Amino acid sequence: DIVMTQSPDSLAVSLGERATINCKSSQSVLYSSNNRDYLAWYQQKSGQPPKLIIYWASTRDSGVPDRFSGSGSGTDFTLTISSLQAEDVAVYYCQQYYNNPRTFGQGTKLEIK
Amino acid sequence: EVQLLESGGGLVQPGGSLRLSCATSGFTLKNYGMSWVRQAPGKGLEWVAGLRGSDPTTYYADSVKGRFTISRDNSKNTLDLQMNSLRADDTAIYYCAKAGAEWEHYFDLWGQGTLVTVSS
């Protein structure tokens, strides 16, 4: 199984500041035949289901604000929120869909400082 | 509107069975991979089971293999999860999740979830 490890486990950032969450996979999730990284990011607010925000490591889902961006390739990935807003308080998960079983990172709890 | 709505959760004794259902709308179920993902109280996300869109191939997490069965009824637009030999560590919110395409895709839509509690 591919193990997904996020860092940090929790993060407190001031409003308007940048938030950065890292995700590392135990093996590459880059599919060489199409040069795509099979890596997604989800946001889960308290009491709600997860919501897709980033797929193919760097593509924002429809309606996701452009302050959210994803980067990285192979085994190391980053989710960046360029200017934190109050509504961004949530737990963020990375997930690989390169192979089975699908696996998630343990989550990073993002709070306001 | 594209939507997923789970039902069937509840309280069940250890060793018991439960069948979850996910009603889908707004898309053609047979064209998309579907999965069940669970979340134990206060914990992270765990993928449980999935099936491809175009064929009956199914996949399971080791933790549920041999106990859970995922299935789909394209005529009723529903996705089911039959859960047998339930254990306390199966207690979780169970989410139905739609893949962005046939299978090798991210989960672009999630239901609200249904709570399963396994306890005597």
Side-chain angles (χ1 to χ4, degrees):
Chain A
D1 298 4
I2 298 178
V3 177
M4 308 299 291
T5 304
Q6 293 180 226
S7 62
D9 289 336
S10 63
L11 182 62
V13 175
S14 301
L15 289 172
E17 295 300 305
R18 178 185 300 264
T20 301
I21 299 171
N22 300 301
C23 174
K24 188 174 184 67
S25 57
S26 61
Q27 66 185 74
S28 177
V29 298
L30 174 64
Y31 195 35
S32 56
S33 66
N34 60 13
N35 201 35
R36 282 184 163 180
D37 288 284
Y38 284 56
L39 189 285
W41 289 95
Y42 301 90
Q43 176 192 65
Q44 187 177 32
K45 296 182 179 180
S46 180
Q48 295 184 19
K51 174 191 171 187
L52 175 69
I53 52 173
I54 299 284
Y55 57 94
W56 302 128
S58 60
T59 302
R60 267 190 310 275
D61 195 26
S62 175
V64 174
D66 61 7
R67 64 180 178 273
F68 289 88
S69 63
S71 62
S73 184
T75 61
D76 292 279
F77 301 91
T78 300
L79 174 70
T80 302
I81 307 172
S82 60
S83 176
L84 189 70
Q85 304 300 302
E87 61 264 33
D88 300 334
V89 168
V91 179
Y92 292 84
Y93 295 92
C94 61
Q95 180 234 339
Q96 64 81 18
Y97 46 100
Y98 181 85
N99 66 9
N100 300 311
R102 304 305 195 229
T103 47
F104 293 86
Q106 78 276 19
T108 295
K109 186 175 184 179
L110 178 58
E111 299 173 310
I112 305 294
K113 185 186 291 183
Chain B
E1 182 187 2
V2 184
Q3 201 170 4
L4 303 173
L5 185 62
E6 303 92 338
S7 61
L11 175 64
V12 61
Q13 292 189 338
S17 297
L18 209 57
R19 189 175 185 91
L20 306 183
S21 188
C22 173
T24 74
S25 58
F27 64 99
T28 303
L29 181 59
K30 67 178 181 179
N31 292 340
Y32 293 90
M34 298 292 295
S35 284
W36 288 94
V37 178
R38 69 185 179 184
Q39 187 169 35
K43 302 296 184 183
L45 301 170
E46 180 189 16
W47 175 82
V48 171
L51 48 66
R52 302 181 71 90
S54 60
D55 62 59
T57 305
T58 56
Y59 306 96
Y60 297 94
D62 285 346
S63 58
V64 306
K65 200 172 294 182
R67 301 188 299 123
F68 290 12
T69 302
I70 188 172
S71 61
R72 175 179 59 209
D73 187 329
N74 292 330
S75 64
K76 295 181 180 178
N77 295 317
T78 57
L79 177 77
D80 288 344
L81 185 68
Q82 177 66 42
M83 304 186 295
N84 299 330
S85 303
L86 283 161
R87 312 186 302 223
D89 62 359
D90 294 317
T91 294
I93 296 173
Y94 284 73
Y95 295 103
C96 170
K98 171 186 166 290
E102 198 220 280
W103 178 242
E104 290 82 2
H105 270 66
Y106 41 86
F107 301 131
D108 66 354
L109 181 67
W110 298 65
Q112 289 297 311
T114 187
L115 177 62
V116 172
T117 303
V118 184
S119 174
S120 55

